[in-house]
Amino acid sequence: EMDKAPCLEAQIVDVADEIAYNNHDLDDGLSSEMIDPVSLEQALLWKESLKEVKKKYTGVDFKILRCQTIISIINRQVTDLIETVSKTIEKEAIGSVEDVRKRGAVIARFGTEMEGKNRELKIFLKDNLYSHYRVLRMADKAKRTLESLFNLYSRNINLLPSKAVVDMEREGKERVVCDYIAGMT
């Protein structure tokens, strides 16, 4: 039923994943020093949260400020999500799963202001972390490694477990090799 929205639980999981991934990437980028904390202040969500944390924690190491700021960002995003969902449910008198689904548009989303700040943070991460030369270099290395494994297993199926070889007759060699490599991670 592509004309219907997903159930509310699925919508919330989708936003929760985005919150978790973005904040995890933010933490990784800062701890690996691929993201410069000063340039990160271009992102209003980080800047506001850091300012709030600095008021609460004075004279502490940046590692503590970083962790507390990320906790603050997560808290602000989750709070905004809950408030936005609650307002929409109340305003539109949504009372059932079918009400959620027939609405068509998602209910689980940030409010307008938080959506803008979240978009700004995602753009910052894309421009400053995901496009960082170290990340691109590792992605290229991973791609070459996966291609080598695929070629190796495709040329020599005896390197695969016997169950994979049996599945090959039904699924095809490429599908089985891809699935086997995916299962390795």
Side-chain angles (χ1 to χ4, degrees):
E1 298 179 285
M2 298 303 289
D3 59 325
K4 292 187 177 184
C7 68
L8 186 55
E9 292 86 349
Q11 294 178 39
I12 290 171
V13 166
D14 189 40
V15 180
D17 278 351
E18 181 177 345
I19 291 170
Y21 281 116
N22 289 341
N23 283 285
H24 186 270
D25 290 346
L26 188 57
D27 190 37
D28 281 351
L30 287 164
S31 61
S32 67
E33 298 179 352
M34 284 191 266
I35 293 178
D36 172 41
V38 175
S39 66
L40 183 53
E41 291 190 28
Q42 297 170 33
L44 192 56
L45 186 55
W46 171 267
K47 185 176 182 176
E48 291 173 350
S49 298
L50 178 62
K51 184 178 179 183
E52 175 185 295
V53 166
K54 281 182 174 178
K55 286 180 187 175
K56 189 174 179 180
Y57 299 94
T58 56
V60 297
D61 185 69
F62 179 72
K63 185 176 180 180
I64 293 171
L65 290 176
R66 181 188 83 220
C67 293
Q68 291 303 314
T69 301
I70 290 169
I71 289 168
S72 173
I73 290 171
I74 293 169
N75 185 50
R76 291 172 74 176
Q77 289 180 315
V78 169
T79 300
D80 183 87
L81 175 65
I82 292 168
E83 289 172 357
T84 302
V85 169
S86 297
K87 286 177 188 173
T88 302
I89 288 172
E90 186 177 324
K91 180 181 172 189
E92 298 182 19
I94 294 171
S96 70
V97 172
E98 191 52 39
D99 290 344
V100 171
R101 306 250 8 250
K102 72 181 179 188
R103 185 174 186 269
V106 296
I107 294 170
R109 58 180 175 71
F110 295 125
T112 305
E113 184 178 342
M114 182 59 73
E115 179 58 39
K117 291 175 184 177
N118 187 59
R119 188 177 324 106
E120 183 181 62
L121 180 61
K122 286 168 44 173
I123 290 168
F124 180 89
L125 288 169
K126 179 182 174 286
D127 293 345
N128 295 277
L129 181 63
Y130 309 140
S131 298
H132 192 282
Y133 78 92
R134 287 170 46 197
V135 172
L136 296 175
R137 197 168 52 198
M138 288 304 295
D140 183 63
K141 184 177 180 181
K143 179 183 176 202
R144 288 189 318 240
T145 301
L146 290 172
E147 286 174 349
S148 294
L149 284 171
F150 180 84
N151 292 332
L152 174 69
Y153 291 132
S154 294
R155 282 191 314 269
N156 191 348
I157 62 170
N158 293 329
L159 295 173
L160 296 170
S162 56
K163 182 191 179 327
V165 175
V166 169
D167 290 345
M168 207 172 287
E169 294 172 20
R170 185 180 71 249
E171 302 289 329
K173 181 170 40 174
E174 289 81 11
R175 173 81 275 143
V176 169
V177 171
C178 283
D179 290 347
Y180 180 72
I181 292 170
M184 293 170 75
T185 61

